[in-house]
Every structure is written in C-alpha cells, then in structure tokens.
Amino acid sequence: MSWNERRPDGGTPVSELADILRANKQALIDGLEQSLYFSDSTSSAGLTRLSTRTGGARAFYVAASAVSAGEHGALLLTSDTLRLFSLTSADSLLIGGRHAIIRAAPPGQSDQIVANTGMLVQSGSTTGLGTGTHAISFTSTYGGVPDASVTPIATSAVSMWQAAITARNASGLSVELRYVGAAPENTSGFYWRSVGTAAL
C-alpha cells in the first residue's frame, strides 16, 4: 500500500487532482483488502477475510443456546454465560470464559485441556481429628485424578502434627494425620486443596 500524505499540496495543479484522488482511493482499497472483502460486489462485500488473513476475525454476541458450527474463524461471546468460542465450519471450540484458569501442568501431565472441560479448584479444612486416616469427599467430582495438597493445623504452640495424602481419586482423597509433638496428644485437623479438570 502506497500513501503519499504530501499530495495534494498547496502548489499542486488542479488538473492533477483527479489522478491524485484516484491513486489515494486505490491505496485505501488495497489496504482494506488485506483484511476485508472490500471491493467485492457479492454478498460478502465488507466482511472480514476470516480464514484467509492472519489476525482477522468477526466476533458476535449471542446466547449460549445459539452456539454451533459456523463461519470458519468467527468468534462468539455468549451473553448469558460469558464464554468465548471459536468457530469452524464443522464445530465450535471453547477458548475462554470468566472462570477460565491458565496453568502449567505438573511434570508428566499434558498442558492441553480436553474440549468441554474446565479447571476446577476445591478446598476445605477439618478439625477435631486425632491420629489416623481420614477421608475427604470432594463436593464436585473431577474428570480424572486431581493434584492435591494438605497442611496440618497446629492447635497450640507445643502440638506438632504431620499430614500426608495416602490415596486420591476423582471423588476424594485419604489423609494420614499423625501427632509428633512432645506434649500429650490432643486433636487437630488439616487444610486441603485440589486442582483438576471437570466437565462443563
């Protein structure tokens, strides 16, 4: 695209004005044609070149019930669930939403999240427990085995406890709580947190 901002200037003859205007018009069309079907006389005139140009996309605001396969490269933002979808001619792909979390997967796991699933984080705490194995049931079931961590709760300055996860699955985990303090054993608990994926 060539655009001469210095023409016409104060000394340009009137007889050259028509040629200058035509050249500037063509330069403008050439620029718009990089991302739009600008000069087409068909029904696509003025539409974005979706799959043929890098960086071009049309976005629409619709209800979640209206999401389906459509024009390749278009974006849909749902008005009721605030989710962002990318469309192809054969399918729709969820690419974001208000509850989306981007993370780096732990070693040995894939960073890729399966279609129609999202990240799920759950946490809680327990109290009044003694030495032994204690079960935690998740409020929502994961699509696979989640990552999890536990931290013992100290009930006094001289009480010491250890907590370790002995088993975990999609619906819960088992935690071994053990008293290791010098003072007589009392009761304690632990904080727990789990991170994984679940169906949307």
Side-chain angles (χ1 to χ4, degrees):
M1 174 176 157
S2 176
W3 187 276
N4 188 346
E5 295 184 0
R6 293 189 296 272
R7 297 196 68 197
D9 57 27
T12 301
V14 174
S15 60
E16 296 180 11
L17 187 57
D19 290 337
I20 293 172
L21 292 177
R22 280 192 291 269
N24 286 346
K25 175 185 174 183
Q26 188 59 51
L28 179 60
I29 291 174
D30 291 344
L32 292 173
E33 282 282 354
Q34 297 301 308
S35 58
L36 300 174
Y37 293 104
F38 185 76
S39 61
D40 288 14
S41 58
T42 65
S43 59
S44 63
L47 299 183
T48 305
R49 295 179 182 272
L50 298 174
S51 58
T52 59
R53 291 291 186 272
T54 301
R58 297 171 66 197
F60 301 90
Y61 196 57
V62 298
S65 59
V67 176
S68 63
E71 190 169 0
H72 189 81
L75 299 175
L76 289 183
L77 178 63
T78 56
S79 57
D80 45 358
T81 60
L82 295 181
R83 291 177 176 173
L84 183 64
F85 291 84
S86 173
L87 302 187
T88 69
S89 57
D91 202 358
S92 60
L93 175 66
L94 177 66
I95 59 176
R98 58 181 176 174
H99 298 304
I101 298 176
I102 299 175
R103 69 155 189 164
Q109 296 187 22
S110 172
D111 282 328
Q112 184 174 1
I113 298 177
V114 179
N116 297 317
T117 64
M119 295 300 302
L120 175 62
V121 179
Q122 300 180 83
S123 62
S125 62
T126 63
T127 58
L129 303 178
T131 294
T133 301
H134 306 281
I136 295 295
S137 296
F138 300 137
T139 302
S140 299
T141 301
Y142 289 95
V145 179
D147 300 322
S149 61
V150 293
T151 303
I153 301 173
T155 54
S156 72
V158 294
S159 68
M160 296 178 60
W161 292 82
Q162 292 178 336
I165 297 173
T166 56
R168 57 191 167 94
N169 55 41
S171 58
L173 52 87
S174 295
V175 177
E176 179 74 22
L177 189 63
R178 186 175 301 278
Y179 182 70
V180 294
E185 180 177 340
N186 50 18
T187 60
S188 182
F190 53 86
Y191 299 105
W192 61 271
R193 182 174 183 270
S194 57
V195 181
T197 59
L200 296 174

